[in-house]
Amino acid sequence: MESGPSLREQARRVIRGLIITGQMQTDQLYSVPRLATELGVSATPVREALLDLAREGLLEPLRNRGFRVVALSSKELNDIFAIRVLLEVPSVADIARAGLAPPQLAELRELAAATKRAADASNLIEFLETDRMFHVGLIATLGNKPLTELVETLRDRVRLRGFKNASGREYIAQSAAEHFELLDFLSKQDEAGAVAVMRRHLERSRQVWGEGNGA
């Protein structure tokens, strides 16, 4: 990892990736020195990144011992998805009715293309990061910052189960394709079509993560 003012954010991104791909387990304790050594950076940005992720609900700090990945029950997972449906589906309907400005649509298409490249390369960490950027960027077009931040946090918490099963490759390919389908409906301001795609997208996501597999 390169040095510079963004070390904290780089560490945060890498550690989040280790969590959501299941490489960091709920039954293990992770110390700042251990992770700093593995990431090849000093302890300070790693500690700050871990505290950031703890505030997001992904990690649990254990005083003078380290950090542990938060365990998420099936009920908690289903509750989070219920909230996501209540938030993200009406938001997509609002976006379809209002329409996307050409620069917004172009930026989202670039992110959709990035998710497809990552899926084609079976790069799970890159896919999950670009997928997050796509969905958060989509909600951000509404200009409601608290809503955008809440959706981002809920998406990350869903992924606490980890994504390890081989079926994940098929899932991310389908998910990447649906991003383009969703944007096609939004570009035509087809509210019914966009809502249908978003519901399907979320439901399949719930099934995959609910099995302890992935996004």
Side-chain angles (χ1 to χ4, degrees):
M1 293 169 60
E2 65 186 52
S3 61
S6 61
L7 271 178
R8 173 180 181 169
E9 179 55 34
Q10 289 182 60
R12 181 169 170 263
R13 176 177 176 177
V14 171
I15 295 169
R16 179 196 276 117
L18 294 173
I19 293 170
I20 63 182
T21 56
Q23 295 177 65
M24 286 178 65
Q25 302 288 321
T26 57
D27 59 353
Q28 294 187 36
L29 193 64
Y30 296 90
S31 68
V32 172
R34 170 185 170 182
L35 286 171
T37 299
E38 291 178 356
L39 298 180
V41 295
S42 63
T44 297
V46 170
R47 182 179 296 106
E48 292 171 343
L50 290 169
L51 289 171
D52 287 341
L53 293 169
R55 282 189 286 270
E56 292 176 23
L58 300 184
L59 294 172
E60 176 188 3
L62 301 175
R63 188 174 179 82
N64 298 325
R65 296 178 61 197
F67 292 79
R68 184 168 55 200
V69 176
V70 172
L72 196 67
S73 70
S74 294
K75 182 181 185 306
E76 288 171 320
L77 185 73
N78 286 327
D79 287 347
I80 290 171
F81 266 107
I83 296 170
R84 286 187 60 192
V85 169
L86 290 173
L87 292 175
E88 295 184 56
V89 173
S91 293
V92 163
D94 289 343
I95 294 167
R97 285 194 297 271
L100 290 167
Q104 293 175 322
L105 189 57
E107 183 176 352
L108 289 167
R109 287 196 187 281
E110 287 180 9
L111 289 171
T115 65
K116 185 178 186 305
R117 287 194 297 272
D120 290 345
S122 296
N123 187 332
L124 185 54
I125 288 182
E126 185 64 23
F127 171 82
L128 293 175
E129 177 63 17
T130 53
D131 176 68
R132 181 186 65 82
M133 292 171 65
F134 173 86
H135 285 281
V136 172
L138 179 63
I139 299 299
T141 63
L142 291 171
N144 186 328
K145 186 177 179 181
L147 173 63
T148 302
E149 291 175 346
L150 180 56
V151 167
E152 182 174 15
T153 297
L154 291 173
R155 289 183 64 82
D156 279 347
R157 282 186 58 77
V158 160
R159 291 166 169 172
L160 285 169
R161 285 292 187 91
F163 197 135
K164 296 174 288 185
N165 194 283
S167 65
R169 287 191 294 274
E170 179 182 354
Y171 167 76
I172 64 175
Q174 291 176 330
S175 184
E178 283 179 342
H179 291 164
F180 290 103
E181 187 179 358
L182 177 60
L183 290 178
D184 286 343
F185 282 120
L186 290 174
S187 68
K188 295 181 290 188
Q189 293 187 258
D190 185 333
E191 180 181 345
V195 164
V197 172
M198 193 64 197
R199 283 190 179 279
R200 184 188 346 131
H201 199 68
L202 285 172
E203 177 56 28
R204 193 152 39 78
S205 177
R206 185 192 67 78
Q207 292 173 354
V208 174
W209 287 106
E211 296 169 357
N213 299 330

